[in-house]
Structures are given as C-alpha cells and as structure tokens.
Amino acid sequence: MKYVITMKDVVREGHPKLREVAKEVSLPATEKEKEILNNMLTFVKNSQDEDLAEKYDLRPGVGLAAPQIGISKRMIAVHFIDLNDELYDFALFNPKIISHSVRKAYLPGGEGCLSVDREVPGYVPRYAKITVQATDLEGNKIKMKLRDYAAIVFQHEIDHLNGIMFYDHINKEDPFFVPENSKAIE
Ligand SMILES: O=CN(O)CCNC(=O)c1cccc(Cl)c1Cl
Ligand code: NI
C-alpha cells in the first residue's frame, strides 16, 4: 500500500534520531528501503504542490533526509529547480561528499528545516562546490559535481545523515558574519 508521508512523520529537534550518525544502506537496497526512499521523494514533491500541501498540511521543502522521519539510514530525497532553472530530482542511497572547494557559499536568507519549528536567523556557510557519489533508486552508482544552490541543498541533507543541523554552522558571536572567501547565492 502506498504510504503518504505527512508532517506527523517528521521528527522535530530534540528527537535523538536527528543527532545520530545514520547507517549505510547495504546494497542492493531492500524493496522496503526503496519504497521508503520513493515515499520521501513524493513527500518533497507534494510539499511543493499548492493543492497537495494544503490537502496534507505540508510545509514546503526542497529535500528530506531519512533521519527526519525517524529512520537512521543514509537516504536522501531532493526536488528543486536551481537558479539556472536546472531541475534536481534525486532519491539517493549513501550519498557521500568525495571532494569540495575551499571556497564557501551561503544563502543570504539563511536556511530552514522541517525538523526545526522556529526561525533561526543567520548565514550557514557551506562549500560552494562539492562532488557527490551515491546510488540511485535503480541501483546505479552516480557521481555529480554540484555548485551554489544545489551544493547547499545537498550539504543540508547530507548533514542530517551525520546528525548535523543547519544552525550548527551559524556563527554564535555574529550570525551574519561573512567568512572570507565565501559568496552569497542569490
Ligand atoms: O532537510 C530538509 N528540510 O528540512 C526541508 C526544509 N528545508 C528546506 O527546504 C531548505 C530551506 C532553505 C535552505 C535549505 Cl538548504 C533547505 Cl534544505
Ligand atoms: Ni532539514
């Protein structure tokens, strides 16, 4: 039966699962793991559809990591269009950042998280470019070079697999401190 993920499935900050290091999925993934990951991608897409978001009372998001629904496995789903109008639509097992730029990037508007029911203002400095290796739902190994907004979203999701929340990166003394050698993505 196709299960629809809703906000009641999303665990909120304070839940221990959000601070665990998620386990690698042994491949090939089981049918159950594939279904969960597919449901996660459906949730992200639903959250961006006005009617469905209203129907299921969803907060919009561009990605979701399995720990956010209490599953401590290395699975992420992303669905968004970046600033160059490129569509990113991925459901991935065991995503891994295998290289990254020294240069950093951040969103001037800061970041938000479905597991954080509050605004946490401040810049979240991340790598401007990353190379990600992962396995997709069909079992294909993929390697992607990501930059700017796409790099930021993927880092937000992969952070969840390592028990890291976006606000962990915000400068405590000055939330709007701009690290040198970093660029705003707008
Ligand atoms: O882990 C995923 N979420 O919590 C979904 C909700 N957050 C967002 O869509 C979001 C918002 C702003 C910046 C980034 Cl990077 C992201 Cl990811
Ligand atoms: Ni999040």
Side-chain angles (χ1 to χ4, degrees), residues 59-110:
R59 240 184 80 189
V62 293
L64 190 73
Q68 292 185 275
I69 53 173
I71 298 175
S72 212
K73 291 187 177 184
R74 304 186 82 80
M75 300 163 34
I76 64 169
V78 298
H79 183 84
F80 62 90
I81 293 176
D82 76 356
L83 310 178
N84 306 324
D85 279 342
E86 197 172 341
L87 173 66
Y88 290 79
D89 181 59
F90 289 100
L92 300 172
F93 293 109
N94 307 323
K96 183 177 170 57
I97 296 172
I98 57 172
S99 68
H100 61 76
S101 58
V102 171
R103 186 117 205 260
K104 297 258 173 111
Y106 62 92
L107 297 176

Side-chain angles (χ1 to χ4, degrees), residues 68 112-115 156-157 160:
Q68 292 185 275
C113 185
L114 288 183
S115 301
H156 178 115
E157 302 312 335
H160 276 305

Side-chain angles (χ1 to χ4, degrees), residues 37-38 40-42 44-45 62-64 75-80 86-93 95 132 134-138 140 142-146 150 154 157:
L37 183 52
N38 198 38
M40 286 167 58
L41 183 58
T42 302
V44 176
K45 288 178 181 170
V62 293
L64 190 73
M75 300 163 34
I76 64 169
V78 298
H79 183 84
F80 62 90
E86 197 172 341
L87 173 66
Y88 290 79
D89 181 59
F90 289 100
L92 300 172
F93 293 109
V132 172
T135 300
D136 69 14
L137 269 172
E138 289 71 38
N140 307 309
I142 62 171
K143 190 158 85 165
M144 294 183 275
K145 283 186 184 302
L146 304 165
F154 273 75
E157 302 312 335

Side-chain angles (χ1 to χ4, degrees), residues 11-185:
V11 300
R12 310 301 155 95
E13 56 182 326
H15 192 292
K17 290 275 184 203
L18 286 173
R19 289 303 192 180
E20 283 179 18
V21 175
K23 289 165 196 56
E24 287 254 323
V25 172
S26 67
L27 301 173
T30 64
E31 286 313 306
K32 187 168 178 301
E33 286 164 336
K34 283 191 244 179
E35 190 185 341
I36 291 166
L37 183 52
N38 198 38
N39 290 346
M40 286 167 58
L41 183 58
T42 302
F43 169 85
V44 176
K45 288 178 181 170
N46 289 349
S47 78
Q48 295 168 28
D49 175 295
E50 230 162 276
D51 302 333
L52 291 173
E54 193 186 338
K55 178 179 175 192
Y56 291 112
D57 190 25
L58 308 178
R59 240 184 80 189
V62 293
L64 190 73
Q68 292 185 275
I69 53 173
I71 298 175
S72 212
K73 291 187 177 184
R74 304 186 82 80
M75 300 163 34
I76 64 169
V78 298
H79 183 84
F80 62 90
I81 293 176
D82 76 356
L83 310 178
N84 306 324
D85 279 342
E86 197 172 341
L87 173 66
Y88 290 79
D89 181 59
F90 289 100
L92 300 172
F93 293 109
N94 307 323
K96 183 177 170 57
I97 296 172
I98 57 172
S99 68
H100 61 76
S101 58
V102 171
R103 186 117 205 260
K104 297 258 173 111
Y106 62 92
L107 297 176
E111 296 185 12
C113 185
L114 288 183
S115 301
V116 180
D117 293 326
R118 60 192 170 103
E119 295 284 318
V120 185
Y123 296 149
V124 181
R126 295 188 183 282
Y127 299 122
K129 294 184 205 169
I130 57 174
T131 302
V132 172
Q133 202 168 285
T135 300
D136 69 14
L137 269 172
E138 289 71 38
N140 307 309
K141 271 198 92 158
I142 62 171
K143 190 158 85 165
M144 294 183 275
K145 283 186 184 302
L146 304 165
R147 61 174 51 207
D148 301 337
Y149 186 67
I152 287 172
V153 173
F154 273 75
Q155 287 171 82
H156 178 115
E157 302 312 335
I158 292 171
D159 265 358
H160 276 305
L161 305 182
N162 297 319
I164 297 165
M165 303 294 280
F166 73 88
Y167 48 73
D168 298 343
H169 298 285
I170 296 174
N171 186 302
K172 309 278 178 292
E173 289 70 45
D174 171 8
F176 293 96
F177 171 74
V178 179
E180 61 175 307
N181 196 10
S182 71
K183 66 172 183 174
I185 304 298

